[in-house]
Every structure is written in structure tokens, then in C-alpha cells.
Amino acid sequence: MLENRHLLDTIPIFNEDDKNIYTYIPPNDSNEKSRIDYIWASLPILGQSLNSTVIENDHFTTDHNTVTLSLDTQLFIGKTLPKINKSKKKITRTVFLYDEMDQEDDEFTWDNFRAGLDHEIERLKLKDRSITKRKHVDHVWDSLRQLIMKSANENIRNKKVIKQKFKCAPEKKLSVYFDLRYIINRIQEICSCITGLRNHPNQEVINKWINYQNTIIKLKDKYELFTSDTIFTFLNNDQFHSYLDELNEIRKQLRIMIKEE
């Protein structure tokens, strides 16, 4: 419905592995993670967007992560801010060089990392903290995470690299994006269909998937995608399983196109 109005889910545009990005983390491990939180943006907004991602909430307790969309301030105030734009270009991230650990006569060793971490844990008496509520677990984990990063920065060789921002205008990706969403929707539908199938599908289901297949063949020709040349009949469950593999391969190639566009 929203996509029909040219409002787009921002996460798949800026992230290749969006199927592995979750916003809801259930407290019970037996329940599945999911992405139920979204930002939907119009093309003009996306044209001025820098990135969209999901981050953890460190300031309050919740089982949801936060969806973010980074925007260029020029869109809203009508002029650039040189100082902000200059610093924005210099945003860096830390890359840890694990392959360069434990070199001869080098201070960057795994023993030093472990020793540094143990020292900090002992200094804060982290092992002695009483845990009776969930918030206590959160506090201990937050402290441990900070100590791990502190020891890593001090004892694991690393370097700073400049973050690469999203360079291509989303308008150029719009056609591929909608076709990718179509394939993802068909994948979800065929998975539900496979779950509901017992032996052989009825003629209505067969006809529907033959029509889907004809549409998807045109989509493959449009982007010159190379997948199986098999024409599926959808007469049994095996045919649906095989076509699911076909759809997953098409999705993979379309994601690559979005990344390289």
C-alpha cells in the first residue's frame, strides 16, 4: 500500500543484508526475531538521505531496536553547513586487524587483550554484582561490552577508516528496488504455499504460479539475469521447492545490482 504511493522502506535501499536485520528482539529466546519497525520515505527525502540502519537502544530498556535515517541538512534549511559537512566527511570507524595479532616482539597479543579485560573486570568487581532482575543483566552486559571495547582498543592492533556514505541517488535504484520487493513478496508467498501443500496443488494455485513465472521470466530478461532455464509446471511440492531456489537466486542477483548501481 505505501509502496504504491512511492513511499519506500529505507532499510533495503541502504543495506544489502536487510533480511538479517531485526528491530524486535523478544525476551524469550524461543521466539523469533523480526523487523516490525520501519521508516518509510518519499523519493525526494531519499534523494537527500545518507544512510539508514538499525541501532541498539543504550539509554532505556526495550525489546525494540531503533530504525534510523540520516538526512542531509541542506534539504531542510536550504543551505549547506560547511563545518558540519566537513566533519561529516571525516566520520571514521575502527577496523581491528586480527591477522596481525601475536607477531614476534609485538605488544598486540591475545594474552595482553585477555589480561587487560580481566584487569578491568576485577577493578570494577563485575563478577561480584548481584543479579536479581533483568535490568541488572542489562547493566552488567553494558559494562562488559564497554570493557571489551576498551581492552580491544588498547591491545588489538587497529586502524581508523573513513566511512563510505551512500553515493547513488535512490531514484536510479527505484526500478530494481520495486522488482526486488516483488521477488521478496513471491518468496514469502511460496514459502507459505509450501507449508500449506500436502500432496498436489489445485489448478487455481498452479495457474497462479504459472502466471507469476511468466512475469518473472520477463523480469529476468529485463536485467539479463542468469539463472535456471527450467520451466516449472508446479504440479507437485518438489516443483515449488525448486522454484523457491530459483527465486532466491534472482533475489541475490538483484541485490548485487542495487549494490553496484
Side-chain angles (χ1 to χ4, degrees), residues 38-259:
Y38 299 84
I39 290 179
W40 296 85
S42 64
L43 286 176
I45 295 293
L46 284 171
Q48 296 293 332
S49 299
L50 304 175
N51 190 28
S52 182
T53 187
V54 173
I55 61 174
E56 294 183 1
N57 288 300
D58 293 328
H59 303 293
F60 54 90
T61 301
T62 176
D63 51 11
H64 288 256
N65 289 335
T66 299
V67 184
T68 68
L69 179 65
S70 301
L71 302 171
D72 191 329
T73 54
Q74 183 180 7
L75 174 67
F76 301 102
I77 64 176
K79 62 180 180 179
T80 59
L81 300 179
K83 292 183 179 179
I84 293 179
N85 289 337
K86 185 177 180 180
S87 63
K88 180 172 61 181
K89 294 178 182 178
K90 294 183 179 180
I91 294 176
T92 61
R93 62 186 177 93
T94 301
V95 175
F96 292 100
L97 308 176
Y98 302 113
D99 293 340
E100 298 184 16
M101 295 290 287
D102 289 330
Q103 301 292 326
E104 188 175 354
D105 298 327
D106 196 340
E107 61 180 318
F108 297 104
T109 66
W110 290 114
D111 286 340
N112 287 346
F113 168 72
R114 284 189 290 268
L117 181 57
D118 289 341
H119 172 75
E120 293 297 329
I121 291 175
E122 183 64 27
R123 182 177 66 84
L124 294 181
K125 300 187 183 301
L126 207 58
K127 295 180 180 179
D128 299 333
R129 294 191 183 182
S130 174
I131 298 178
T132 58
K133 298 180 180 179
R134 177 178 171 177
K135 66 178 182 180
H136 297 157
V137 177
D138 293 336
H139 291 158
V140 170
W141 169 244
D142 287 340
S143 298
L144 180 59
R145 180 172 56 181
Q146 293 176 27
L147 296 183
I148 291 173
M149 289 306 302
K150 183 177 186 297
S151 183
N153 284 317
E154 293 175 353
N155 299 295
I156 298 178
R157 188 182 296 279
N158 60 77
K159 64 179 180 180
K160 303 293 184 182
V161 298
I162 298 176
K163 285 186 176 181
Q164 298 297 321
K165 69 177 184 178
F166 186 84
K167 296 180 180 179
C168 298
E171 288 89 340
K172 296 180 181 179
K173 299 177 182 286
L174 185 60
S175 176
V176 185
Y177 172 82
F178 278 118
D179 287 332
L180 174 60
R181 292 303 307 174
Y182 178 82
I183 295 299
I184 291 174
N185 290 340
R186 298 292 74 76
I187 289 174
Q188 294 172 343
E189 185 174 351
I190 201 171
C191 287
S192 298
C193 188
I194 289 173
T195 302
L197 286 176
R198 293 186 177 180
N199 294 314
H200 301 283
N202 59 42
Q203 192 60 46
E204 181 181 357
V205 172
I206 292 173
N207 291 340
K208 179 172 70 171
W209 280 97
I210 288 176
N211 289 334
Y212 282 156
Q213 179 177 228
N214 292 335
T215 300
I216 292 170
I217 288 174
K218 295 177 182 178
L219 185 152
K220 289 169 56 179
D221 292 340
K222 175 182 177 181
Y223 297 110
E224 298 182 350
L225 303 181
F226 296 98
T227 61
S228 170
D229 293 328
T230 303
I231 300 298
F232 296 89
T233 60
F234 304 102
L235 294 177
N236 54 51
N237 210 325
D238 290 339
Q239 288 274 302
F240 281 86
H241 280 282
S242 297
Y243 198 58
L244 175 59
D245 294 337
E246 167 85 354
L247 292 175
N248 280 322
E249 178 60 29
I250 294 173
R251 175 175 63 177
K252 177 182 177 181
Q253 294 189 32
L254 287 176
R255 287 185 187 280
I256 293 174
M257 290 187 64
I258 286 181
K259 183 178 180 180

